[in-house]
Amino acid sequence: MRFIARFCVEHHDHFEIITVFDTQIDRLNLTKDHPSFDSISSHYPAAIWFERKIKDDFGIAIQNSFDNRALVHHERFPNLAPMRKDFKEKKIEFCDFVPYKYEAVHGDGAFQIAVGPIHAGIIEPGHFQFSQAGEHMLHLEVRHFYKYRAIEKMLEGKSLFEAKAIIERISGNESIAYQIAWFKILMQASGMEYPLKLRKYHALLLELERLIHHLSDIGFIGNDAGFGAGLAICSKLSEDTRRILQAICGHRFGFDAIGMESKVYDYEKLRKFLIGLDRDVLWLEDWIVDIPSLWDRFDTTGILIASKALKYSTVGVLARASGIAIDRRDKDALYKDAGFIMQTQIRGDVGARFLLRIKEVRQSIGIIRNFMERHLARVNKPSSFHDGEFMSFTESSIGELFMCVKLKEGKIDRFFSRDPSFINWQALYLLMSNDIIADFPLINKSCDLSYAGNDL
């Protein structure tokens, strides 16, 4: 079984630990009197962050775990359980500083390097703790959650429509993917049919979002190997695509793009743009694959072998570049009919992730063509929702996005989302063991993980 997520739901008289796999969902009920649960991280290493988050959020002890450190509670965070229903505080007092014990390799010649959480670039906060021997990376520990935005708590008591503006802003580079996951839950909870034409329109926007970020990644990966010309060209192509997205839905990041009806757009303008983009990407590919100095940096750098990609439950480009065929679009007849074919590489290095993005860009262009419609699509706005638990999946530009919403009396009682980055960040250290620290920016960018989506 492939592990997907583990999270907690509080009921009136008990806690429920929900573990989601690709073929089944396990549920474990815990009493509220000294609750604890057994870790599954020995079999599914990626479960450890989920379990540590449950411990911090709900104050539930983890048994038989190899790591009981706080995850989202940083050094001066008080001993609180902010996701419990009885937590109503609007302000908390910092406690005394308690140092965080980082994983580290010790020995003759070994030393540690700290990078972040504040970075020179305009990115979200994130900390990387390296154990080094000279320039060679011995170990990396990733530590995030510096913002802890309390989105899950914030959404409690809101209607699905009230929650949308927050959900679509969880991660700016996956806004449309989050909205589609939300819309699928909206359809489930209302008992309504998701019209085919509206699904095509939503999928078209999702593929435009994928194009924007894959093109940007292709440019920045090359830039981190000293190839600035590639960044300039890809930035231009990515910006052109973002302007097309804005022309269609009204916003550069796709905010408020997914709703009850499609928007009228210039069909011929989009058609001509796709023709030009396809031509430019083909030219770019022919140019880049024939630059030996670039591939000298890409090849054999940041390798993730298939067995580790599977063991750590990786998703998205990170998994597919290691030969793991995981893509939610492959299970969707809408995409299969539009010409979707699973794209994979086998080497699992920076070069494989780079080439995979180029292949997915070219495929997305063709898929968008097949999703284009000249006629408006719409569905009536639901007037009521069924109570219960609803789950959805969407393949974002980073990978498989999972969302679960529990409704009670028409309002959100529990919101949980698992960004693909929450899984993939945990596997990042596996890519570092054979490389030098100067390769870290290149390896990290080749994975393109979201800080914001990771830190709810």
Side-chain angles (χ1 to χ4, degrees), residues 18-72:
I18 300 175
T19 309
V20 181
F21 299 96
D22 58 340
T23 57
Q24 69 184 52
I25 299 174
D26 293 344
R27 299 175 184 273
L28 173 67
N29 291 335
L30 308 176
T31 65
K32 289 193 171 182
D33 183 23
H34 305 297
S36 68
F37 64 96
D38 283 330
S39 173
I40 61 171
S41 57
S42 60
H43 291 95
Y44 303 100
I48 192 64
W49 274 17
F50 294 88
E51 293 170 352
R52 290 167 64 190
K53 189 172 187 301
I54 290 171
K55 177 176 177 285
D56 286 359
D57 283 344
F58 291 91
I60 301 175
I62 319 169
Q63 303 296 330
N64 305 312
S65 173
F66 65 83
D67 190 350
N68 270 294
R69 295 173 300 168
L71 185 75
V72 297

Side-chain angles (χ1 to χ4, degrees), residues 68-82:
N68 270 294
R69 295 173 300 168
L71 185 75
V72 297
H73 290 186
H74 279 251
E75 284 85 347
R76 297 191 64 199
F77 202 101
N79 185 24
L80 300 171

Side-chain angles (χ1 to χ4, degrees), residues 12 24 46 60 76 104 123 151 166 173 197 239 252 270 297 327 338-339:
H12 174 69
Q24 69 184 52
I60 301 175
R76 297 191 64 199
I123 61 174
I151 287 174
I166 298 172
N173 58 353
K197 284 188 176 181
E239 174 62 22
R252 288 171 51 81
L270 177 57
R297 289 293 309 280
D327 192 315

Side-chain angles (χ1 to χ4, degrees), residues 250-319:
H251 199 285
R252 288 171 51 81
F253 288 91
F255 294 159
D256 201 28
I258 303 301
M260 311 312 295
E261 65 179 21
S262 61
K263 296 181 181 178
V264 177
Y265 60 88
D266 190 328
Y267 185 96
E268 283 303 314
K269 181 179 179 180
L270 177 57
R271 186 185 67 83
K272 291 178 181 178
F273 168 76
L274 293 172
I275 292 172
L277 181 61
D278 197 25
R279 180 189 62 244
D280 291 342
V281 172
L282 179 60
W283 173 84
L284 180 69
E285 181 179 8
D286 288 342
W287 179 36
I288 285 180
V289 298
D290 200 29
I291 302 176
S293 60
L294 194 63
W295 292 94
D296 185 57
R297 289 293 309 280
F298 286 0
D299 289 340
T300 73
T301 300
I303 295 174
L304 177 65
I305 62 175
S307 60
K308 291 291 182 69
L310 276 173
K311 183 177 181 180
Y312 281 77
S313 308
T314 60
V315 294
V317 169
L318 186 61

Side-chain angles (χ1 to χ4, degrees), residues 160-171:
L160 284 172
F161 285 109
E162 290 170 336
K164 181 176 181 289
I166 298 172
I167 293 171
E168 68 187 15
R169 288 167 172 80
I170 288 175
S171 178

Side-chain angles (χ1 to χ4, degrees), residues 174-181 202 205-206 209 245 253-254 257-258:
E174 303 165 273
S175 175
I176 290 170
Y178 271 93
Q179 289 178 70
I180 290 176
H202 290 171
L205 297 177
L206 181 62
E209 182 174 71
L245 176 65
F253 288 91
I258 303 301

